[in-house]
Amino acid sequence: GGGGFGGGGGGADSGYRRIGGGGGIDENEVHRLLIQREDLRKSRQFEQADGVRKTLNDMGVRVDDREKTWERRGGGGGGGGG
């Protein structure tokens, strides 16, 4: 299937970039959760936002709020230097 990028002008963009590699993860779902979490934080619903972050962690996603990035962690072992 085609890569699910683009589409839906001005559509849901979490503002977070993915870094690193590793497959086996639904990036659309990750972005959906990041957007949901961002909305909760804007509404000062921090407990629910923490719950969303926990869901992401359970999926094997590490979020960096300072850098606005996320990455797949564990499982795949880093892809060596070079």
Side-chain angles (χ1 to χ4, degrees):
F5 275 104
D13 180 13
S14 63
Y16 283 74
R17 304 194 319 280
R18 179 174 185 175
I19 58 174
I25 197 154
D26 183 347
E27 292 196 28
N28 290 331
E29 178 71 1
V30 172
H31 280 288
R32 196 180 65 73
L33 287 165
L34 286 169
I35 291 163
Q36 186 183 350
R37 180 167 168 258
E38 202 63 25
D39 286 345
L40 287 166
R41 286 170 51 174
K42 282 181 192 148
S43 311
R44 306 190 71 77
Q45 300 179 54
F46 295 113
E47 281 181 33
Q48 290 96 317
D50 282 350
V52 174
R53 186 184 183 115
K54 185 180 184 316
T55 301
L56 287 161
N57 282 332
D58 291 345
M59 289 167 63
V61 173
R62 193 181 74 78
V63 180
D64 185 331
D65 289 317
R66 279 204 314 278
E67 300 292 324
K68 293 284 235 186
T69 57
W70 67 273
E71 61 184 321
R72 178 92 164 85
R73 62 177 170 74

